DNA sequence: CATCAGGGCCCTG
DNA sequence: CAGGGCCCTGAT
């Protein structure tokens, strides 16, 4: 391991998310594969962040309750930060973590639903969240493609070790994502040496699109849902499955539900129809069902059921699920 | 040892 | 619009 960059300056800010807010169910997603840029324990999430080209180490801490939410955000940096920098960073994490999401309409509509209601109350205030930048999510999406979880983890780790920056703060050592310029300078062969295989080409070309400013995360936020979809689909190596995740997680499209991959199909079949994975419900049937039941919150509704399943998995073994996850 | 499919996507015919 | 190929890895 390289010598970490020691972050010695610490700033703190208080954030009050909208109520209701579930800290743990929002700030930790048990279905995400572990990656060296973050760490979680109940009540605390550590997360590195490259903001305005400055690597920082974040610690989110729960200091509130579901109905009186309060998050204390500590920011570690190599050099002292200006108030303007902190302010823009706080605004950005408010967006990324969905701290301003208003769940009241969703809760009112589905809170007494026989299936969804109990799950909503169990994870009261949970919201979809994404802790990184669009560029970073794209890299993760590419690394996820056509690979088992174990392999995705090792590809991501190799990329961090080669191109990321190791940060030391708050007694932790975590990698920070690289700016696109760093991977832009790398060759495809260099990437392939990290065993990312044919994904090297996608990583290079997506990185190039950011370098050439063909895509801008902040401009894209203001675009329509379909404009966002088309812009993302134009990226080489990014198809409908990756775009679906990005529209939901990065752009908070709570009704996104377009593509269902075979493994998701089998899990949905079990969760919503109690069908065994061997003979799953057809994708079209699932899409119609979600459409009828959950519009305009198809992604959000499914997110609750999905996350509930993966939280359960932490202390309950579910052999049918283990088979589908393929570690 | 060989073969195959995996938490997709591109490209070709 | 269907299907082969793609890097690698682990399961069979």
């Amino acid at each position: 391991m390289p010598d970490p960059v020691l972050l010695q300056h610490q700033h703190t800010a208080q954030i009050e998310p909208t109520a209701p807010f579930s800290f743990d169910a929002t700030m930790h997603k048990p279905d995400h594969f572990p990656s060296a840029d973050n760490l979680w324990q109940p009540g605390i999430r550590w997360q590195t962040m490259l903001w305005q080209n400055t690597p920082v180490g974040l610690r989110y801490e729960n200091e509130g309750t579901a109905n009186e939410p309060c998050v204390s955000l500590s920011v570690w940096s190599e050099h002292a930060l200006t108030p303007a920098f902190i302010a823009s960073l706080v605004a950005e994490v408010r967006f990324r973590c969905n701290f301003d999401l208003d769940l009241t309409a969703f809760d009112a509509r589905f809170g007494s639903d026989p299936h969804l209601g109990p799950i909503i109350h169990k994870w009261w205030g949970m919201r979809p969240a994404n802790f990184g930048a669009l560029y970073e999510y794209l890299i993760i999406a590419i690394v996820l493609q056509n690979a088992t979880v174990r392999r995705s983890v090792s590809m991501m780790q190799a990329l961090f070790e080669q191109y990321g920056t190791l940060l030391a703060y708050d007694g932790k050592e975590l990698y920070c994502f690289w700016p696109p310029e760093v991977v832009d300078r790398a060759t495809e062969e260099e990437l392939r040496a990290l065993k990312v295989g044919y994904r090297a080409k996608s990583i290079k070309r997506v990185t190039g699109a950011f370098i050439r400013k063909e895509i801008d995360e902040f401009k894209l936020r203001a675009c329509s849902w379909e404009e966002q979809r088309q812009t993302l689909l134009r990226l080489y190596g990014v198809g409908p499955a990756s775009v679906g995740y990005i529209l939901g997680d990065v752009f908070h499209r709570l009704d996104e539900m377009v593509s269902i991959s075979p493994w998701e199909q089998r899990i949905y079949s079990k969760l919503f129809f109690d069908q065994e994975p061997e003979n799953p419900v057809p994708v079209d049937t699932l899409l119609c069902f979600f459409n009828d039941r959950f519009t305009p919150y198809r992604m959000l509704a499914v997110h609750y059921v999905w996350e509930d399943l993966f939280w359960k998995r932490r202390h309950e073994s579910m052999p049918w699920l283990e088979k589908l996850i393929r570690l």
Side-chain angles (χ1 to χ4, degrees), chain A residues 240-295:
Chain A
S242 302
V243 169
Y245 296 142
I246 292 171
L247 288 173
D249 288 342
V250 179
F251 293 103
H252 308 158
R253 295 293 178 182
L254 302 181
D255 199 27
E256 172 68 22
M257 181 60 63
V258 172
S259 76
I260 298 177
S261 62
W263 74 289
E264 293 169 325
Q265 176 197 8
R266 293 194 279 270
I267 293 180
Y268 293 158
S269 297
K270 177 80 176 167
L271 292 178
F272 292 97
F273 291 85
D274 201 25
Q275 275 293 332
E276 296 310 313
E278 293 76 49
N279 51 337
V281 177
V283 167
D284 285 346
T285 311
L286 289 169
L287 286 171
C288 288
F289 173 78
F290 293 146
N291 200 33
D292 293 346
R293 282 278 284 272
F294 301 135
T295 302

Short mmCIF file of all heavy atoms in Angstrom, two decimals, chain A residues 240-295:
data_model
loop_
_atom_site.label_atom_id
_atom_site.label_comp_id
_atom_site.label_asym_id
_atom_site.label_seq_id
_atom_site.Cartn_x
_atom_site.Cartn_y
_atom_site.Cartn_z
N PRO A 240 -28.90 -0.14 -21.20
CA PRO A 240 -30.14 0.10 -20.46
C PRO A 240 -30.09 -0.32 -18.99
O PRO A 240 -30.71 0.35 -18.15
CB PRO A 240 -31.19 -0.72 -21.21
CG PRO A 240 -30.44 -1.58 -22.17
CD PRO A 240 -29.12 -0.94 -22.42
N ALA A 241 -29.38 -1.38 -18.68
CA ALA A 241 -29.36 -1.83 -17.28
C ALA A 241 -28.61 -0.82 -16.41
O ALA A 241 -29.11 -0.39 -15.36
CB ALA A 241 -28.72 -3.21 -17.17
N SER A 242 -27.42 -0.41 -16.87
CA SER A 242 -26.63 0.56 -16.12
C SER A 242 -27.39 1.89 -16.02
O SER A 242 -27.42 2.52 -14.96
CB SER A 242 -25.29 0.80 -16.79
OG SER A 242 -24.58 -0.42 -16.91
N VAL A 243 -28.01 2.29 -17.12
CA VAL A 243 -28.73 3.57 -17.14
C VAL A 243 -29.90 3.53 -16.16
O VAL A 243 -30.17 4.51 -15.46
CB VAL A 243 -29.19 3.91 -18.57
CG1 VAL A 243 -30.16 5.08 -18.56
CG2 VAL A 243 -27.98 4.24 -19.44
N GLY A 244 -30.57 2.39 -16.08
CA GLY A 244 -31.67 2.26 -15.12
C GLY A 244 -31.21 2.53 -13.70
O GLY A 244 -31.84 3.29 -12.96
N TYR A 245 -30.09 1.92 -13.31
CA TYR A 245 -29.56 2.14 -11.96
C TYR A 245 -29.20 3.61 -11.76
O TYR A 245 -29.45 4.18 -10.70
CB TYR A 245 -28.30 1.30 -11.72
CG TYR A 245 -28.52 -0.20 -11.74
CD1 TYR A 245 -27.58 -1.04 -12.32
CD2 TYR A 245 -29.65 -0.78 -11.18
CE1 TYR A 245 -27.75 -2.42 -12.34
CE2 TYR A 245 -29.84 -2.16 -11.20
CZ TYR A 245 -28.88 -2.97 -11.78
OH TYR A 245 -29.06 -4.33 -11.80
N ILE A 246 -28.58 4.20 -12.78
CA ILE A 246 -28.11 5.58 -12.64
C ILE A 246 -29.28 6.55 -12.53
O ILE A 246 -29.27 7.47 -11.69
CB ILE A 246 -27.20 5.96 -13.83
CG1 ILE A 246 -25.90 5.14 -13.73
CG2 ILE A 246 -26.91 7.45 -13.85
CD1 ILE A 246 -25.00 5.25 -14.95
N LEU A 247 -30.31 6.35 -13.34
CA LEU A 247 -31.47 7.25 -13.27
C LEU A 247 -32.10 7.19 -11.88
O LEU A 247 -32.52 8.20 -11.33
CB LEU A 247 -32.48 6.91 -14.35
CG LEU A 247 -32.03 7.30 -15.76
CD1 LEU A 247 -33.01 6.78 -16.81
CD2 LEU A 247 -31.91 8.81 -15.89
N GLY A 248 -32.14 5.99 -11.31
CA GLY A 248 -32.71 5.85 -9.97
C GLY A 248 -31.79 6.41 -8.90
O GLY A 248 -32.18 7.30 -8.14
N ASP A 249 -30.57 5.91 -8.85
CA ASP A 249 -29.68 6.23 -7.73
C ASP A 249 -29.06 7.62 -7.84
O ASP A 249 -28.98 8.35 -6.85
CB ASP A 249 -28.55 5.19 -7.65
CG ASP A 249 -29.07 3.84 -7.15
OD1 ASP A 249 -30.16 3.80 -6.56
OD2 ASP A 249 -28.37 2.83 -7.37
N VAL A 250 -28.58 7.98 -9.02
CA VAL A 250 -27.84 9.24 -9.17
C VAL A 250 -28.79 10.42 -9.42
O VAL A 250 -28.61 11.50 -8.88
CB VAL A 250 -26.80 9.14 -10.31
CG1 VAL A 250 -26.05 10.45 -10.48
CG2 VAL A 250 -25.83 7.99 -10.04
N PHE A 251 -29.81 10.19 -10.23
CA PHE A 251 -30.72 11.29 -10.57
C PHE A 251 -32.06 11.21 -9.85
O PHE A 251 -32.97 11.99 -10.15
CB PHE A 251 -30.89 11.37 -12.10
CG PHE A 251 -29.62 11.77 -12.80
CD1 PHE A 251 -28.85 10.85 -13.47
CD2 PHE A 251 -29.18 13.09 -12.74
CE1 PHE A 251 -27.65 11.22 -14.09
CE2 PHE A 251 -27.99 13.47 -13.35
CZ PHE A 251 -27.23 12.53 -14.03
N HIS A 252 -32.18 10.25 -8.92
CA HIS A 252 -33.35 10.19 -8.04
C HIS A 252 -34.67 10.11 -8.79
O HIS A 252 -35.65 10.73 -8.35
CB HIS A 252 -33.37 11.40 -7.09
CG HIS A 252 -32.09 11.60 -6.35
ND1 HIS A 252 -31.73 12.81 -5.80
CD2 HIS A 252 -31.09 10.75 -6.04
CE1 HIS A 252 -30.55 12.70 -5.19
NE2 HIS A 252 -30.14 11.46 -5.34
N ARG A 253 -34.70 9.38 -9.86
CA ARG A 253 -35.96 9.18 -10.58
C ARG A 253 -36.73 8.08 -9.88
O ARG A 253 -36.47 6.89 -10.08
CB ARG A 253 -35.69 8.82 -12.05
CG ARG A 253 -35.01 9.92 -12.85
CD ARG A 253 -35.93 11.10 -13.01
NE ARG A 253 -35.30 12.21 -13.74
CZ ARG A 253 -35.91 13.36 -13.96
NH1 ARG A 253 -37.13 13.59 -13.51
NH2 ARG A 253 -35.29 14.32 -14.62
N LEU A 254 -37.67 8.46 -9.04
CA LEU A 254 -38.33 7.50 -8.14
C LEU A 254 -39.29 6.57 -8.86
O LEU A 254 -39.79 5.61 -8.27
CB LEU A 254 -39.08 8.26 -7.04
CG LEU A 254 -38.24 9.19 -6.17
CD1 LEU A 254 -39.11 9.85 -5.11
CD2 LEU A 254 -37.07 8.45 -5.53
N ASP A 255 -39.56 6.85 -10.12
CA ASP A 255 -40.48 5.99 -10.88
C ASP A 255 -39.76 5.20 -11.96
O ASP A 255 -40.39 4.58 -12.80
CB ASP A 255 -41.58 6.87 -11.51
CG ASP A 255 -42.81 6.04 -11.90
OD1 ASP A 255 -43.05 5.00 -11.28
OD2 ASP A 255 -43.51 6.45 -12.84
N GLU A 256 -38.41 5.23 -11.94
CA GLU A 256 -37.66 4.52 -12.98
C GLU A 256 -37.86 3.00 -12.86
O GLU A 256 -37.61 2.43 -11.81
CB GLU A 256 -36.17 4.86 -12.84
CG GLU A 256 -35.25 4.03 -13.73
CD GLU A 256 -35.42 4.32 -15.22
OE1 GLU A 256 -35.91 5.41 -15.57
OE2 GLU A 256 -35.07 3.44 -16.03
N MET A 257 -38.32 2.38 -13.91
CA MET A 257 -38.51 0.93 -13.91
C MET A 257 -38.68 0.49 -15.36
O MET A 257 -39.78 0.38 -15.86
CB MET A 257 -39.74 0.56 -13.08
CG MET A 257 -40.04 -0.93 -12.98
SD MET A 257 -38.75 -1.92 -12.23
CE MET A 257 -38.70 -1.24 -10.56
N VAL A 258 -37.58 0.31 -16.05
CA VAL A 258 -37.64 0.01 -17.47
C VAL A 258 -37.09 -1.38 -17.77
O VAL A 258 -37.72 -2.17 -18.46
CB VAL A 258 -36.88 1.08 -18.29
CG1 VAL A 258 -36.77 0.66 -19.75
CG2 VAL A 258 -37.61 2.42 -18.18
N SER A 259 -35.90 -1.67 -17.24
CA SER A 259 -35.33 -2.97 -17.57
C SER A 259 -35.18 -3.82 -16.31
O SER A 259 -34.86 -3.31 -15.23
CB SER A 259 -33.98 -2.81 -18.26
OG SER A 259 -33.00 -2.47 -17.34
N ILE A 260 -35.45 -5.10 -16.44
CA ILE A 260 -35.30 -6.05 -15.35
C ILE A 260 -34.41 -7.18 -15.87
O ILE A 260 -34.78 -7.88 -16.80
CB ILE A 260 -36.66 -6.60 -14.89
CG1 ILE A 260 -37.55 -5.47 -14.35
CG2 ILE A 260 -36.48 -7.68 -13.84
CD1 ILE A 260 -38.94 -5.91 -13.94
N SER A 261 -33.23 -7.32 -15.27
CA SER A 261 -32.31 -8.37 -15.73
C SER A 261 -32.74 -9.72 -15.14
O SER A 261 -33.51 -9.76 -14.19
CB SER A 261 -30.90 -8.01 -15.29
OG SER A 261 -30.85 -7.96 -13.88
N PRO A 262 -32.25 -10.82 -15.73
CA PRO A 262 -32.69 -12.15 -15.30
C PRO A 262 -32.56 -12.42 -13.80
O PRO A 262 -33.45 -12.99 -13.19
CB PRO A 262 -31.79 -13.08 -16.11
CG PRO A 262 -31.44 -12.30 -17.32
CD PRO A 262 -31.35 -10.88 -16.88
N TRP A 263 -31.46 -12.00 -13.19
CA TRP A 263 -31.29 -12.29 -11.76
C TRP A 263 -32.27 -11.47 -10.92
O TRP A 263 -32.82 -11.95 -9.94
CB TRP A 263 -29.84 -12.09 -11.32
CG TRP A 263 -29.41 -10.66 -11.20
CD1 TRP A 263 -29.20 -9.79 -12.22
CD2 TRP A 263 -29.16 -9.94 -9.99
NE1 TRP A 263 -28.83 -8.56 -11.72
CE2 TRP A 263 -28.79 -8.62 -10.36
CE3 TRP A 263 -29.20 -10.27 -8.64
CZ2 TRP A 263 -28.48 -7.64 -9.41
CZ3 TRP A 263 -28.88 -9.29 -7.71
CH2 TRP A 263 -28.52 -7.99 -8.10
N GLU A 264 -32.52 -10.21 -11.37
CA GLU A 264 -33.50 -9.39 -10.65
C GLU A 264 -34.90 -9.97 -10.84
O GLU A 264 -35.71 -9.98 -9.91
CB GLU A 264 -33.48 -7.95 -11.19
CG GLU A 264 -32.20 -7.21 -10.87
CD GLU A 264 -32.09 -5.89 -11.63
OE1 GLU A 264 -32.54 -5.81 -12.79
OE2 GLU A 264 -31.54 -4.95 -11.05
N GLN A 265 -35.16 -10.44 -12.04
CA GLN A 265 -36.45 -11.06 -12.35
C GLN A 265 -36.74 -12.21 -11.38
O GLN A 265 -37.85 -12.32 -10.85
CB GLN A 265 -36.43 -11.59 -13.79
CG GLN A 265 -37.68 -12.34 -14.19
CD GLN A 265 -37.46 -13.19 -15.44
OE1 GLN A 265 -36.34 -13.34 -15.92
NE2 GLN A 265 -38.55 -13.72 -15.97
N ARG A 266 -35.73 -13.04 -11.12
CA ARG A 266 -35.94 -14.17 -10.23
C ARG A 266 -36.17 -13.70 -8.79
O ARG A 266 -36.99 -14.28 -8.07
CB ARG A 266 -34.75 -15.13 -10.32
CG ARG A 266 -34.67 -15.81 -11.70
CD ARG A 266 -33.72 -16.98 -11.71
NE ARG A 266 -32.32 -16.60 -11.84
CZ ARG A 266 -31.70 -16.45 -13.02
NH1 ARG A 266 -32.33 -16.67 -14.15
NH2 ARG A 266 -30.42 -16.09 -13.05
N ILE A 267 -35.46 -12.65 -8.38
CA ILE A 267 -35.66 -12.15 -7.02
C ILE A 267 -37.04 -11.49 -6.87
O ILE A 267 -37.76 -11.72 -5.91
CB ILE A 267 -34.52 -11.19 -6.62
CG1 ILE A 267 -33.20 -11.98 -6.54
CG2 ILE A 267 -34.81 -10.50 -5.29
CD1 ILE A 267 -31.98 -11.17 -6.15
N TYR A 268 -37.44 -10.69 -7.86
CA TYR A 268 -38.77 -10.07 -7.82
C TYR A 268 -39.86 -11.13 -7.82
O TYR A 268 -40.89 -10.98 -7.14
CB TYR A 268 -38.98 -9.15 -9.03
CG TYR A 268 -38.12 -7.91 -9.06
CD1 TYR A 268 -37.88 -7.24 -10.25
CD2 TYR A 268 -37.55 -7.38 -7.90
CE1 TYR A 268 -37.09 -6.09 -10.31
CE2 TYR A 268 -36.76 -6.25 -7.93
CZ TYR A 268 -36.54 -5.61 -9.15
OH TYR A 268 -35.77 -4.48 -9.20
N SER A 269 -39.65 -12.21 -8.59
CA SER A 269 -40.66 -13.27 -8.67
C SER A 269 -40.91 -13.87 -7.29
O SER A 269 -42.05 -14.15 -6.91
CB SER A 269 -40.20 -14.36 -9.63
OG SER A 269 -40.07 -13.84 -10.93
N LYS A 270 -39.83 -14.06 -6.56
CA LYS A 270 -39.94 -14.62 -5.21
C LYS A 270 -40.58 -13.59 -4.26
O LYS A 270 -41.49 -13.92 -3.50
CB LYS A 270 -38.53 -14.99 -4.73
CG LYS A 270 -38.45 -15.51 -3.32
CD LYS A 270 -38.85 -16.97 -3.22
CE LYS A 270 -38.67 -17.48 -1.79
NZ LYS A 270 -39.33 -18.78 -1.61
N LEU A 271 -40.13 -12.36 -4.33
CA LEU A 271 -40.58 -11.34 -3.37
C LEU A 271 -42.03 -10.95 -3.57
O LEU A 271 -42.77 -10.74 -2.63
CB LEU A 271 -39.70 -10.09 -3.47
CG LEU A 271 -38.24 -10.23 -3.01
CD1 LEU A 271 -37.50 -8.92 -3.23
CD2 LEU A 271 -38.18 -10.64 -1.55
N PHE A 272 -42.45 -10.80 -4.84
CA PHE A 272 -43.78 -10.25 -5.09
C PHE A 272 -44.80 -11.32 -5.47
O PHE A 272 -46.00 -11.07 -5.40
CB PHE A 272 -43.71 -9.18 -6.19
CG PHE A 272 -42.98 -7.94 -5.75
CD1 PHE A 272 -41.64 -7.75 -6.07
CD2 PHE A 272 -43.63 -6.95 -5.02
CE1 PHE A 272 -40.95 -6.61 -5.66
CE2 PHE A 272 -42.95 -5.81 -4.60
CZ PHE A 272 -41.61 -5.64 -4.93
N PHE A 273 -44.34 -12.49 -5.92
CA PHE A 273 -45.28 -13.53 -6.34
C PHE A 273 -45.02 -14.86 -5.65
O PHE A 273 -45.68 -15.85 -5.95
CB PHE A 273 -45.20 -13.72 -7.87
CG PHE A 273 -45.75 -12.56 -8.65
CD1 PHE A 273 -44.95 -11.46 -8.94
CD2 PHE A 273 -47.08 -12.56 -9.07
CE1 PHE A 273 -45.46 -10.38 -9.65
CE2 PHE A 273 -47.60 -11.48 -9.78
CZ PHE A 273 -46.79 -10.38 -10.08
N ASP A 274 -44.03 -14.90 -4.75
CA ASP A 274 -43.66 -16.13 -4.08
C ASP A 274 -43.41 -17.27 -5.07
O ASP A 274 -43.75 -18.42 -4.80
CB ASP A 274 -44.72 -16.52 -3.04
CG ASP A 274 -44.13 -17.46 -1.98
OD1 ASP A 274 -42.90 -17.42 -1.77
OD2 ASP A 274 -44.89 -18.25 -1.40
N GLN A 275 -42.84 -16.91 -6.20
CA GLN A 275 -42.49 -17.91 -7.23
C GLN A 275 -41.03 -18.31 -7.04
O GLN A 275 -40.18 -17.44 -6.84
CB GLN A 275 -42.61 -17.30 -8.62
CG GLN A 275 -43.99 -17.33 -9.25
CD GLN A 275 -44.46 -18.73 -9.58
OE1 GLN A 275 -43.67 -19.63 -9.83
NE2 GLN A 275 -45.77 -18.92 -9.57
N GLU A 276 -40.76 -19.59 -7.14
CA GLU A 276 -39.38 -20.04 -7.00
C GLU A 276 -38.54 -19.59 -8.20
O GLU A 276 -39.07 -19.44 -9.31
CB GLU A 276 -39.35 -21.57 -6.90
CG GLU A 276 -40.04 -22.11 -5.65
CD GLU A 276 -39.59 -21.44 -4.35
OE1 GLU A 276 -38.38 -21.29 -4.13
OE2 GLU A 276 -40.47 -21.04 -3.56
N PRO A 277 -37.26 -19.38 -7.96
CA PRO A 277 -36.37 -18.87 -9.02
C PRO A 277 -36.34 -19.75 -10.28
O PRO A 277 -36.04 -19.27 -11.36
CB PRO A 277 -35.00 -18.88 -8.35
CG PRO A 277 -35.28 -18.76 -6.89
CD PRO A 277 -36.58 -19.48 -6.67
N GLU A 278 -36.66 -21.04 -10.11
CA GLU A 278 -36.58 -21.94 -11.27
C GLU A 278 -37.60 -21.58 -12.35
O GLU A 278 -37.33 -21.71 -13.53
CB GLU A 278 -36.80 -23.41 -10.86
CG GLU A 278 -35.70 -23.98 -9.98
CD GLU A 278 -35.79 -23.48 -8.54
OE1 GLU A 278 -36.89 -23.54 -7.96
OE2 GLU A 278 -34.76 -23.00 -8.01
N ASN A 279 -38.79 -21.16 -11.94
CA ASN A 279 -39.74 -20.69 -12.95
C ASN A 279 -40.27 -19.30 -12.61
O ASN A 279 -41.34 -19.14 -12.02
CB ASN A 279 -40.89 -21.69 -13.19
CG ASN A 279 -41.56 -22.10 -11.90
OD1 ASN A 279 -40.95 -22.00 -10.83
ND2 ASN A 279 -42.80 -22.52 -11.98
N PRO A 280 -39.48 -18.32 -12.98
CA PRO A 280 -39.80 -16.94 -12.63
C PRO A 280 -40.97 -16.40 -13.44
O PRO A 280 -41.30 -16.90 -14.50
CB PRO A 280 -38.51 -16.20 -12.97
CG PRO A 280 -37.87 -17.01 -14.02
CD PRO A 280 -38.25 -18.44 -13.75
N VAL A 281 -41.59 -15.37 -12.88
CA VAL A 281 -42.67 -14.65 -13.56
C VAL A 281 -42.08 -13.88 -14.75
O VAL A 281 -41.01 -13.28 -14.62
CB VAL A 281 -43.31 -13.66 -12.56
CG1 VAL A 281 -44.40 -12.83 -13.22
CG2 VAL A 281 -43.86 -14.42 -11.35
N PRO A 282 -42.73 -13.91 -15.92
CA PRO A 282 -42.19 -13.19 -17.09
C PRO A 282 -41.96 -11.71 -16.78
O PRO A 282 -42.72 -11.10 -16.02
CB PRO A 282 -43.28 -13.35 -18.14
CG PRO A 282 -44.06 -14.55 -17.72
CD PRO A 282 -43.97 -14.63 -16.23
N VAL A 283 -40.93 -11.16 -17.40
CA VAL A 283 -40.56 -9.77 -17.16
C VAL A 283 -41.73 -8.82 -17.48
O VAL A 283 -42.00 -7.88 -16.72
CB VAL A 283 -39.31 -9.40 -17.99
CG1 VAL A 283 -39.09 -7.90 -18.02
CG2 VAL A 283 -38.07 -10.09 -17.43
N ASP A 284 -42.43 -9.10 -18.56
CA ASP A 284 -43.56 -8.23 -18.93
C ASP A 284 -44.63 -8.20 -17.84
O ASP A 284 -45.20 -7.15 -17.55
CB ASP A 284 -44.19 -8.70 -20.25
CG ASP A 284 -43.32 -8.34 -21.44
OD1 ASP A 284 -42.40 -7.50 -21.25
OD2 ASP A 284 -43.54 -8.89 -22.52
N THR A 285 -44.88 -9.37 -17.25
CA THR A 285 -45.87 -9.44 -16.17
C THR A 285 -45.41 -8.61 -14.97
O THR A 285 -46.20 -7.89 -14.37
CB THR A 285 -46.07 -10.91 -15.73
OG1 THR A 285 -46.28 -11.70 -16.90
CG2 THR A 285 -47.23 -11.05 -14.78
N LEU A 286 -44.13 -8.73 -14.65
CA LEU A 286 -43.58 -7.95 -13.54
C LEU A 286 -43.71 -6.46 -13.82
O LEU A 286 -44.16 -5.70 -12.96
CB LEU A 286 -42.10 -8.31 -13.32
CG LEU A 286 -41.80 -9.68 -12.73
CD1 LEU A 286 -40.31 -9.98 -12.81
CD2 LEU A 286 -42.26 -9.76 -11.27
N LEU A 287 -43.35 -6.06 -15.03
CA LEU A 287 -43.40 -4.63 -15.37
C LEU A 287 -44.84 -4.10 -15.27
O LEU A 287 -45.06 -3.02 -14.74
CB LEU A 287 -42.83 -4.40 -16.77
CG LEU A 287 -41.30 -4.50 -16.89
CD1 LEU A 287 -40.86 -4.47 -18.35
CD2 LEU A 287 -40.61 -3.40 -16.10
N CYS A 288 -45.80 -4.88 -15.76
CA CYS A 288 -47.21 -4.46 -15.68
C CYS A 288 -47.66 -4.37 -14.23
O CYS A 288 -48.35 -3.42 -13.84
CB CYS A 288 -48.12 -5.45 -16.42
SG CYS A 288 -47.97 -5.33 -18.20
N PHE A 289 -47.24 -5.34 -13.43
CA PHE A 289 -47.60 -5.36 -12.01
C PHE A 289 -47.06 -4.12 -11.29
O PHE A 289 -47.80 -3.41 -10.60
CB PHE A 289 -47.04 -6.64 -11.37
CG PHE A 289 -47.20 -6.71 -9.88
CD1 PHE A 289 -48.41 -7.05 -9.31
CD2 PHE A 289 -46.11 -6.44 -9.05
CE1 PHE A 289 -48.56 -7.12 -7.93
CE2 PHE A 289 -46.25 -6.51 -7.67
CZ PHE A 289 -47.48 -6.85 -7.10
N PHE A 290 -45.78 -3.83 -11.48
CA PHE A 290 -45.18 -2.65 -10.84
C PHE A 290 -45.87 -1.38 -11.34
O PHE A 290 -46.11 -0.43 -10.58
CB PHE A 290 -43.68 -2.57 -11.13
CG PHE A 290 -42.88 -3.67 -10.48
CD1 PHE A 290 -41.75 -4.19 -11.11
CD2 PHE A 290 -43.23 -4.17 -9.24
CE1 PHE A 290 -41.00 -5.19 -10.52
CE2 PHE A 290 -42.49 -5.18 -8.63
CZ PHE A 290 -41.37 -5.70 -9.28
N ASN A 291 -46.16 -1.39 -12.63
CA ASN A 291 -46.82 -0.25 -13.25
C ASN A 291 -48.16 0.03 -12.59
O ASN A 291 -48.45 1.16 -12.18
CB ASN A 291 -46.99 -0.57 -14.73
CG ASN A 291 -47.21 0.66 -15.55
OD1 ASN A 291 -46.67 1.71 -15.23
ND2 ASN A 291 -48.00 0.54 -16.59
N ASP A 292 -48.98 -1.01 -12.47
CA ASP A 292 -50.32 -0.86 -11.88
C ASP A 292 -50.25 -0.49 -10.41
O ASP A 292 -50.99 0.36 -9.94
CB ASP A 292 -51.10 -2.18 -12.00
CG ASP A 292 -51.43 -2.50 -13.44
OD1 ASP A 292 -51.30 -1.59 -14.29
OD2 ASP A 292 -51.80 -3.67 -13.71
N ARG A 293 -49.36 -1.15 -9.69
CA ARG A 293 -49.35 -1.00 -8.23
C ARG A 293 -48.62 0.24 -7.73
O ARG A 293 -49.06 0.87 -6.77
CB ARG A 293 -48.66 -2.22 -7.60
CG ARG A 293 -49.52 -3.46 -7.52
CD ARG A 293 -50.46 -3.45 -6.32
NE ARG A 293 -49.81 -3.75 -5.05
CZ ARG A 293 -49.63 -4.97 -4.57
NH1 ARG A 293 -50.00 -6.02 -5.27
NH2 ARG A 293 -49.07 -5.15 -3.40
N PHE A 294 -47.49 0.56 -8.36
CA PHE A 294 -46.57 1.51 -7.71
C PHE A 294 -46.33 2.82 -8.42
O PHE A 294 -45.65 3.69 -7.87
CB PHE A 294 -45.23 0.81 -7.45
CG PHE A 294 -45.33 -0.41 -6.59
CD1 PHE A 294 -44.66 -1.58 -6.92
CD2 PHE A 294 -46.10 -0.40 -5.42
CE1 PHE A 294 -44.74 -2.71 -6.12
CE2 PHE A 294 -46.19 -1.52 -4.61
CZ PHE A 294 -45.51 -2.69 -4.96
N THR A 295 -46.82 2.97 -9.64
CA THR A 295 -46.66 4.26 -10.33
C THR A 295 -47.24 5.37 -9.46
O THR A 295 -48.31 5.16 -8.90
CB THR A 295 -47.41 4.22 -11.68
OG1 THR A 295 -46.88 3.13 -12.44
CG2 THR A 295 -47.23 5.52 -12.46
#
